[in-house]
């Protein structure tokens, strides 16, 4: 089965083409600056031994034109991975916010699109372009199944004690104010990979998965199910991030509004785009921060210490929530590549049974690899995330289940007791 994975942003479109029979990526690319005069297109074609990269500039008016170009690139004589788009069996879409309506990958129909649209207020920057990508794909690939995989679905297994806020209950029932969590596809992928690498059934494992990029989140995973996660109703909550505050006293918001005269739009921009690492030391790339700290920059050192300390606190609290801990997994740009951050985070966690092999941690190894010492009671892994492959995998699983006889389809992914794939 050949599956095209799409991730439509407000001014971008990312795509990957997978051969699920071999679990290999065939082609990938990204369209940037859609709607601007100087759009940038990057396309990669993969073979067993080589990668061919093509980059060019072209005005891309909208997502329909971008997806038109995707089909041309995928079937072109030089850039093509397939001969005709009729070889594409399904399309998997990343959708950021599924609210409470979706707890697994879901085949798209008019009811599903309506539910995605109804969740727009919860993700105003993400859900509208996600839905645009779906509607364009339906037009260009008539009859091809489209499947939505939600960033929030992995966290729908959290119990109410974890996802509820201590606000008047009506705000939850009327406005859906609750913790949703994000990066779910990444957390799910690395949790499954950790179980495979440990040669254990994921149902028997207690894991802490740590996604550290410009956006950061951490999840407690018990038996393959998320029981808690750091991001909240929005991606602003939880860990300190590249430009986002993470957790803070909510009364600070009213204090700043009253003390500075700024309006909420300006303050919201500060909290999301000018805080976090950037707010403390005016840099949000950890490589630059390490370089500055090495030269004696006190604020760079402070930013690093704050960033790592908050991760350490979450590890401790999630270990308590899990009751016991089998492994900690680092992923995403910082998690996979920053040995300094990993070392500071894991230092002095022997109380949890974690012992780091410092030399292995600092070595430049091919991922995945483990960095725990031989006498560590808890394993520690560095695993590259692959959200696009996880989307393809869930799309493949859902559509394969669709082909099974009805009597065999009870409680398969995307299906509860044989009901429709729309959850309310």
């Amino acid at each position: 089965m050949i599956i095209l994975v799409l991730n439509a942003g407000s001014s971008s479109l990312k795509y990957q083409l997978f051969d699920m029979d071999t679990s290999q990526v065939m082609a990938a690319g990204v369209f940037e600056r859609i709607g601007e005069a100087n759009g940038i297109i990057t396309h990669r074609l993969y073979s067993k031994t080589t990668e061919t990269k093509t980059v060019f500039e072209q005005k891309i008016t909208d997502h329909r034109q971008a997806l038109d170009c995707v089909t041309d690139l995928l079937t072109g004589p030089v850039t093509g991975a397939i001969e005709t788009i009729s070889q594409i069996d399904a399309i998997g879409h990343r959708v950021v916010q599924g609210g409470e309506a979706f707890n697994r990958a879901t085949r798209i129909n008019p009811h599903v699109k309506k539910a995605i649209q109804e969740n727009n207020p919860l993700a105003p920057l993400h859900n509208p372009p996600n839905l645009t990508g779906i509607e364009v794909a339906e037009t260009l690939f008539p009859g091809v199944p489209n499947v939505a995989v939600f960033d929030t679905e992995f966290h729908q297994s959290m119990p109410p004690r974890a996802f509820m806020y201590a606000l008047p209950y009506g705000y939850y029932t009327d406005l859906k104010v609750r913790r949703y969590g994000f990066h779910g596809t990444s957390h799910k992928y690395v949790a499954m990979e950790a179980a495979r690498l440990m040669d254990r059934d994921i149902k028997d494992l207690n894991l802490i998965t740590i996604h550290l990029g410009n956006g950061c989140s951490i999840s407690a995973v018990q038996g393959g199910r998320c029981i808690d996660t750091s991001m909240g109703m929005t991606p602003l909550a939880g860990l300190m991030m590249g430009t986002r505050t993470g957790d803070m006293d909510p009364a600070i918001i009213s204090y700043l509004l009253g003390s500075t005269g700024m309006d909420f739009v300006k303050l919201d921009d500060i909290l999301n785009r000018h805080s976090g690492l950037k707010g403390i030391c005016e840099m949000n790339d950890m490589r630059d921060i390490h370089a500055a700290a090495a030269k004696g920059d006190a604020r760079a050192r402070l930013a690093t210490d704050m960033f790592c300390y908050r991760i350490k606190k979450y590890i401790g609290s999630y270990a308590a929530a899990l009751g016991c801990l089998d492994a900690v997994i680092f992923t995403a740009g910082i998690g996979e590549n920053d040995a300094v951050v990993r070392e500071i985070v894991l230092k002095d966690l022997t109380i949890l049974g974690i012992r780091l092999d410092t030399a292995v941690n600092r070595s430049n190894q091919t991922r995945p690899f483990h960095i725990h010492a031989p006498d560590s009671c808890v394993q520690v892994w560095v695993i590259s995330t692959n959200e696009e492959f996880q989307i393809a995998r869930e799309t493949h699983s859902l559509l394969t289940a669709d082909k099974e006889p009805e009597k065999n389809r009870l409680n398969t992914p995307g299906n509860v007791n044989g009901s429709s794939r729309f959850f309310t």
Side-chain angles (χ1 to χ4, degrees):
M1 182 181 287
I2 293 178
I3 294 177
L4 175 64
V5 173
L6 297 178
N7 180 359
S10 57
S11 60
S12 66
L13 177 68
K14 298 178 182 178
Y15 61 93
Q16 287 199 33
L17 188 70
F18 291 94
D19 181 347
M20 296 308 292
D21 293 334
T22 60
S23 298
Q24 297 297 316
V25 60
M26 304 168 70
V30 58
F31 286 68
E32 301 173 272
R33 301 177 184 173
I34 293 174
E36 300 180 24
N38 56 339
I40 300 174
I41 303 169
T42 304
H43 176 80
R44 289 179 169 84
L45 176 66
Y46 299 98
S47 69
K48 291 182 179 180
T49 57
T50 61
E51 171 189 330
T52 304
K53 180 179 177 181
T54 304
V55 181
F56 57 98
E57 292 189 12
Q58 175 182 325
K59 182 178 180 179
I60 304 295
T61 305
D62 53 27
H63 286 80
R64 180 184 176 91
Q65 184 185 355
L67 198 48
D68 267 329
C69 290
V70 170
T71 62
D72 291 340
L73 289 166
L74 292 177
T75 59
V78 177
T79 58
I82 53 178
E83 294 182 2
T84 172
I85 61 171
S86 63
Q87 293 176 251
I88 296 175
D89 297 297
I91 302 171
H93 297 265
R94 180 204 180 206
V95 181
V96 167
Q97 178 57 271
E100 293 186 313
F102 305 99
N103 61 6
R104 61 199 71 192
T106 306
R107 186 160 178 168
I108 296 169
N109 58 35
H111 297 293
V112 172
K113 289 192 290 183
K114 183 175 183 292
I116 292 171
Q117 187 174 36
E118 289 173 348
N119 282 315
N120 282 357
L122 298 175
L125 299 180
H126 297 94
N127 269 33
N130 295 162
L131 186 57
T132 297
I134 290 169
E135 292 175 335
V136 170
E138 289 177 327
T139 301
L140 292 180
F141 299 87
V144 176
N146 286 266
V147 173
V149 178
F150 300 89
D151 278 10
T152 51
E153 61 94 357
F154 183 57
H155 305 305
Q156 282 296 299
S157 55
M158 287 189 293
R161 65 173 180 267
F163 72 69
M164 287 294 296
Y165 289 115
L167 290 167
Y169 197 79
Y171 292 137
Y172 167 64
T173 56
D174 299 339
L175 299 174
K176 303 303 179 185
V177 175
R178 54 157 286 176
R179 182 183 304 279
Y180 290 101
F182 299 89
H183 295 147
T185 307
S186 175
H187 287 288
K188 186 175 185 178
Y189 176 81
V190 297
M192 293 172 63
E193 279 296 287
R196 183 184 66 83
L197 292 163
M198 296 168 69
D199 196 24
R200 296 275 301 278
D201 188 330
I202 196 169
K203 294 179 181 179
D204 299 328
L205 290 175
N206 285 342
L207 307 172
I208 294 176
T209 55
I210 309 173
H211 179 110
L212 302 178
N214 194 48
C216 301
S217 61
I218 181 169
S219 292
V221 183
Q222 189 171 64
R225 295 166 57 85
C226 176
I227 65 165
D228 207 345
T229 193
S230 58
M231 283 183 168
M233 180 172 170
T234 76
L236 185 60
L239 300 174
M240 180 178 177
M241 307 178 217
T243 63
R244 299 180 189 137
T245 60
D247 292 338
M248 68 177 207
D249 181 348
I252 293 173
I253 293 174
S254 58
Y255 175 77
L256 291 177
L257 289 174
S259 300
T260 64
M262 75 177 85
D263 61 18
F264 182 76
V265 173
K266 174 63 175 177
L267 180 56
D268 184 68
D269 183 62
I270 290 172
L271 298 177
N272 280 283
R273 297 180 179 85
H274 301 281
S275 298
L277 293 168
K278 185 177 182 180
I280 297 299
C281 66
E282 301 180 354
M283 294 173 280
N284 63 296
D285 189 311
M286 192 58 80
R287 293 166 295 189
D288 296 334
I289 294 171
H290 287 324
K295 295 178 181 179
D297 187 321
R299 284 167 58 185
R301 288 198 301 270
L302 173 61
T304 304
D305 288 343
M306 291 173 63
F307 183 80
C308 296
Y309 179 65
R310 294 189 179 197
I311 300 168
K312 185 190 294 282
K313 286 202 300 181
Y314 262 98
I315 291 174
S317 65
Y318 282 177
L322 289 165
C324 63
L325 183 60
D326 294 297
V328 174
I329 299 98
F330 288 90
T331 193
I334 297 173
E336 295 172 28
N337 298 295
D338 198 321
V340 174
V341 164
R342 295 194 301 259
E343 185 171 336
I344 297 173
V345 166
L346 298 176
K347 184 180 179 182
D348 299 327
L349 284 183
T350 52
I351 191 173
L352 299 180
I354 298 173
R355 294 184 182 274
L356 178 69
D357 187 322
T358 305
V360 174
N361 179 55
R362 294 177 181 177
S363 63
N364 187 19
Q365 295 200 34
T366 302
R367 292 176 293 275
F369 66 104
H370 61 75
I371 57 175
H372 52 271
D375 61 344
S376 180
C377 298
V378 175
Q379 297 190 24
V380 184
W381 286 85
V382 178
I383 300 174
S384 296
T385 191
N386 194 336
E387 294 167 278
E388 291 79 11
F389 179 70
Q390 183 65 24
I391 292 171
R393 181 157 59 187
E394 295 194 29
T395 299
H396 178 267
S397 177
L398 175 60
L399 297 177
T400 301
D402 275 345
K403 295 178 181 179
E404 296 176 1
E406 186 68 27
K407 65 179 181 180
N408 293 328
R409 294 200 303 147
L410 301 184
N411 298 322
T412 53
N415 193 40
V416 175
N417 295 329
S419 65
S420 70
R421 283 168 171 72
F422 175 53
F423 297 84
T424 57

